[in-house]
Amino acid sequence: DLPQYGQKQWQSYFGRTFDVYTKLWKFQQQHRQVLDNRYGLKRWQIGEIASKIGQLYYHYYLRTSETSYLNEAFSFYSAIRQRSYYSQVNKEDRPELVVKKLRYYARFIVVCLLLNKMDVVKDLVKELSDEIEDYTHRFNTEDQVEWNLVLQEVAAFIEADPVMVLNDDNTIVITSNRLAETGAPLLEQGMIVGQLSLADALIIGNCNNQVKFSELTVDMFRMLQALEREPMNLASQMNKPGMQESADKPTRRENPHKYLLYKPTFSQLYTFLAASFKELPANSVLLIYLSATGVFPTGRSDSEGPYDFGGVLTNSNRDIINGDAIHKRNQSHKEMHCLHPGDLYPFTRKPLFIIVDSSNSVAYKVVHASQDLVL
């Protein structure tokens, strides 16, 4: 429930939550027989604890960008499936328990997509499809259409990202956009290490009718991986020879911190942008990736400033009355949900790297900066 922007205020809460669930997990392991025999502990209840821990690891990855936590989330989600914790749920006449199982599948699929485990994804999608079919036949609930839409979205997502490489023996190799330890490009002649480093990134997806799954569009998916190193298992990381740090504190892996914003409103985008700007360390760069529908000027202006070339569209869903967007009522005014080039000017006081993937990306050529700027 804590806001995603800001990198400091939420960490103590996450730490305490991890402690609580760790104690709970150990408690059920140590007293399983008593809990089973005397209190009727169900296997799906154990699965629910494991699912929450996996979810915590996944959200910790989202807030830190450290890919090692993705592996931890995968471990817990995978254990739930291997140990069939949710296998008895369908025998109980409680639709809310089946929904817990379906949500677990959806979260597991997202983690597997991010780890490029496409063989597991295909198995999970088949299982999820069977579970949804059983759910819709047994219960006449209002969310049947929504779950069928989830299936359609993940199928479209997999189809839209079909990058496959064949080995000499015609076996499929899953490619990754992440940076491997040995894959860093060489510095060009004259470049100096350490002058500027990429510390923060805003990855924004706001194109109309774009393929997405769980608020992650295909272009956001590819970009976030391009800004990460290959994931490393925390356990193997902590057992590295010569590691000096405590076993409960793995070595820090310097991925840039990221915010993933799917169809944000202008105010949301600006809030996250301001938070990133505020917390940007010295000698660091903020990357802004804008994938959004273009907004073009409605007419020729006497002056051609940073608010006269249009820009890209932000989400306007919150400003709809009787099915009509408020901003369309007066075409003589500039689009109030447009992120204009001039809106970025206050943030050029620090080094910026801006990528605009839009039909009106040319509008941002007018951006000038007092600091280093790559556009």
Side-chain angles (χ1 to χ4, degrees), residues 320-325:
I320 293 179
I321 296 177
N322 297 326
D324 295 323

Side-chain angles (χ1 to χ4, degrees), residues 78-201:
S78 183
I80 293 170
R81 183 167 172 247
Q82 291 171 358
R83 299 173 189 178
S84 303
Y85 281 136
Y86 282 122
S87 61
Q88 302 299 314
V89 162
N90 291 15
K91 295 182 179 180
E92 302 194 29
D93 192 26
R94 296 173 60 184
E96 70 276 10
L97 293 185
V98 182
V99 169
K100 287 178 183 289
K101 186 177 184 178
L102 299 181
R103 286 176 178 167
Y104 150 73
Y105 269 107
R107 290 166 180 156
F108 195 6
I109 289 171
V110 171
V111 169
C112 290
L113 283 171
L114 289 168
L115 288 172
N116 293 311
K117 297 181 181 291
M118 298 307 296
D119 52 341
V120 183
V121 169
K122 291 175 182 177
D123 291 339
L124 291 174
V125 171
K126 176 63 170 64
E127 292 174 22
L128 177 60
S129 177
D130 294 340
E131 294 290 344
I132 291 174
E133 186 176 354
D134 179 72
Y135 172 65
T136 55
H137 279 131
R138 290 176 59 210
F139 304 104
N140 185 21
T141 59
E142 297 179 353
D143 60 348
Q144 295 177 6
V145 175
E146 295 176 15
W147 282 111
N148 285 322
L149 181 61
V150 169
L151 272 181
Q152 293 171 20
E153 285 187 350
V154 70
F157 194 97
I158 295 171
E159 185 179 353
D161 196 41
V163 180
M164 287 183 284
V165 177
L166 295 179
N167 268 336
D168 293 337
D169 57 355
N170 287 334
T171 56
I172 296 176
V173 178
I174 303 298
T175 60
S176 173
N177 294 322
R178 290 190 175 95
L179 180 67
E181 288 188 21
T182 57
L186 298 175
L187 292 177
E188 295 179 10
Q189 187 173 4
M191 292 180 66
I192 302 174
V193 177
Q195 284 184 318
L196 288 173
S197 62
L198 181 61
D200 224 359

Side-chain angles (χ1 to χ4, degrees), residues 12 28 37 93 127 159 163 208 264 288 295 310 315 349 367:
S12 62
Q28 64 85 19
N37 297 335
D93 192 26
E127 292 174 22
E159 185 179 353
V163 180
N208 292 329
I288 304 171
V295 177
N315 194 357
R349 290 170 171 81
V367 176

Side-chain angles (χ1 to χ4, degrees), residues 120-352:
V120 183
V121 169
K122 291 175 182 177
D123 291 339
L124 291 174
V125 171
K126 176 63 170 64
E127 292 174 22
L128 177 60
S129 177
D130 294 340
E131 294 290 344
I132 291 174
E133 186 176 354
D134 179 72
Y135 172 65
T136 55
H137 279 131
R138 290 176 59 210
F139 304 104
N140 185 21
T141 59
E142 297 179 353
D143 60 348
Q144 295 177 6
V145 175
E146 295 176 15
W147 282 111
N148 285 322
L149 181 61
V150 169
L151 272 181
Q152 293 171 20
E153 285 187 350
V154 70
F157 194 97
I158 295 171
E159 185 179 353
D161 196 41
V163 180
M164 287 183 284
V165 177
L166 295 179
N167 268 336
D168 293 337
D169 57 355
N170 287 334
T171 56
I172 296 176
V173 178
I174 303 298
T175 60
S176 173
N177 294 322
R178 290 190 175 95
L179 180 67
E181 288 188 21
T182 57
L186 298 175
L187 292 177
E188 295 179 10
Q189 187 173 4
M191 292 180 66
I192 302 174
V193 177
Q195 284 184 318
L196 288 173
S197 62
L198 181 61
D200 224 359
L202 263 74
I203 301 177
I204 300 153
N206 197 25
C207 287
N208 292 329
N209 303 319
Q210 193 165 15
V211 174
K212 64 96 177 176
F213 181 60
S214 185
E215 298 196 344
L216 190 67
T217 65
V218 169
D219 48 4
M220 292 172 67
F221 171 74
R222 291 169 178 164
M223 180 55 68
L224 76 88
Q225 290 187 83
L227 300 177
E228 293 177 348
R229 294 175 176 84
E230 282 293 349
M232 186 184 300
N233 187 281
L234 284 181
S236 63
Q237 189 178 1
M238 290 188 288
N239 293 330
K240 272 190 173 181
M243 181 174 168
Q244 301 297 316
E245 294 191 346
S246 168
D248 60 358
K249 185 180 181 183
T251 52
R252 178 170 172 77
R253 306 183 68 244
E254 299 294 339
N255 284 335
H257 176 261
K258 299 183 296 297
Y259 291 118
L260 305 177
L261 301 180
Y262 173 68
K263 292 196 172 180
T265 62
F266 176 83
S267 58
Q268 286 173 330
L269 194 158
Y270 228 60
T271 299
F272 279 79
L273 191 53
S276 294
F277 177 85
K278 177 184 177 183
E279 296 184 347
L280 196 68
N283 301 320
S284 297
V285 178
L286 168 62
L287 183 145
I288 304 171
Y289 174 76
L290 277 169
S291 173
T293 302
V295 177
F296 297 90
T298 54
R300 183 79 178 172
S301 176
D302 295 335
S303 61
E304 291 190 343
Y307 289 91
D308 298 313
F309 295 96
V312 298
L313 193 65
T314 58
N315 194 357
S316 60
N317 287 348
R318 295 186 179 183
D319 295 293
I320 293 179
I321 296 177
N322 297 326
D324 295 323
I326 294 174
H327 65 278
K328 290 184 178 179
R329 290 182 301 179
N330 192 337
Q331 294 293 343
S332 63
H333 294 162
K334 286 186 171 63
E335 168 63 70
M336 65 176 290
H337 297 287
C338 174
L339 182 74
H340 294 277
D343 295 324
L344 299 177
Y345 274 28
F347 305 103
T348 61
R349 290 170 171 81
K350 292 183 179 180
L352 284 180

